[in-house]
Amino acid sequence: MTSGPGRPRHTGPLRPGSTGREQILDAAAELFTVQGFAYTSTRAIAEAVGIRQASLYHHFATKDDILDALLSSTVIPVLPVADALLRYEVTTPEQAAARLFALALHDGGQLAAAPWNVGVLYLAPELRRPRFLPFQAARERLRHCYVTAAEALTGGPSPAGDLAFRLVESIVNLRADGLAVPESPRQVAAAGVRIAGWSGAMEPVEEAADRLLAAEVPDLSQR
């Protein structure tokens, strides 16, 4: 007996993930980052998962929806942590430096640890479509968190926060060029803090940032 339309072709999963949606996203992330969004069809994604194309559409109506889900996964999970960090009151430059370091370290760590380097798609021309305005708004909100954190260190309006944000996103380019190392998120976070004007010792700043993240990330992951 042959399987009906929309039924899986294979008995076992070809991709990591506990659900069909997760497996589709993993396959799409690989194909989009390796051969480009425009050159990847939904049929190719379905074949990489080992399902029929019709099954893919049970999870995502369009290829744009898949791209949006992948891009959002690089920003949306960071926002609750960023918001929590900004709620911490800072009264000294060292505390402000630690808060900015913590934000950059967490964000950069997510970009560095993702299975596929999805951030390379940030400059894809397709992102100019209105369909991706919510993602762009989320990314802008994250950038503003950097600006706010940096201004607490600089003492007023400054381009330092935007520069720190761009530095963290440079991890995407490091990965693409094969130059990323496990220390990259910390190195980039330290550079962002220096750009914002911190000239003191970095070790106490890093230790304080680690304490901030240890206090916030486990709590937020349980919500």
Side-chain angles (χ1 to χ4, degrees):
M1 179 181 295
T2 59
S3 59
R7 297 291 300 278
R9 294 176 179 171
H10 301 277
T11 57
L14 299 181
R15 312 293 307 195
S18 59
T19 67
R21 176 185 173 87
E22 291 175 354
Q23 293 162 17
I24 290 168
L25 289 174
D26 182 79
E30 178 180 13
L31 292 170
F32 289 169
T33 56
V34 171
Q35 63 187 36
F37 176 78
Y39 296 100
T40 300
S41 66
T42 54
R43 181 180 297 278
I45 296 170
E47 289 177 350
V49 178
I51 61 176
R52 296 183 184 275
Q53 193 174 16
S55 294
L56 181 147
Y57 291 126
H58 289 312
H59 298 278
F60 298 97
T62 68
K63 192 171 70 165
D64 281 359
D65 290 341
I66 300 174
L67 177 59
D68 183 63
L70 287 171
L71 292 170
S72 296
S73 72
T74 69
V75 173
I76 299 300
V78 179
L79 288 173
V81 178
D83 289 340
L85 289 172
L86 289 181
R87 287 195 293 269
Y88 277 89
E89 182 179 0
V90 297
T91 58
T92 67
E94 184 175 297
Q95 291 174 344
R99 188 172 66 173
L100 177 59
F101 190 102
L103 172 58
L105 177 61
H106 181 69
D107 188 16
Q110 302 303 300
L111 291 173
W116 301 104
N117 195 19
V118 177
V120 297
L121 301 170
Y122 284 169
L123 299 179
E126 290 81 8
L127 265 65
R128 302 190 188 110
R129 299 173 186 164
R131 169 68 181 81
F132 296 101
L133 286 176
F135 162 72
Q136 298 288 15
R139 186 164 172 247
E140 173 61 19
R141 181 181 159 199
L142 180 59
R143 187 194 69 82
H144 186 70
C145 288
Y146 277 85
V147 170
T148 301
E151 287 180 350
L153 180 55
T154 61
S158 164
D162 188 62
L163 290 173
F165 175 69
R166 308 296 174 181
L167 272 174
V168 169
E169 289 195 341
S170 73
I171 289 175
V172 171
N173 294 327
L174 289 173
R175 287 189 65 178
D177 293 339
L179 300 175
V181 295
E183 296 78 19
S184 291
R186 284 189 177 274
Q187 292 168 349
V188 168
V193 169
R194 291 299 190 198
I195 282 178
W198 176 252
S199 59
M202 192 61 67
E203 183 175 351
V205 168
E206 290 196 42
E207 291 174 350
D210 287 338
R211 289 193 296 271
L212 282 175
L213 290 176
E216 281 305 331
V217 176
D219 175 64
L220 287 166
S221 67
Q222 294 171 8
R223 294 181 185 176

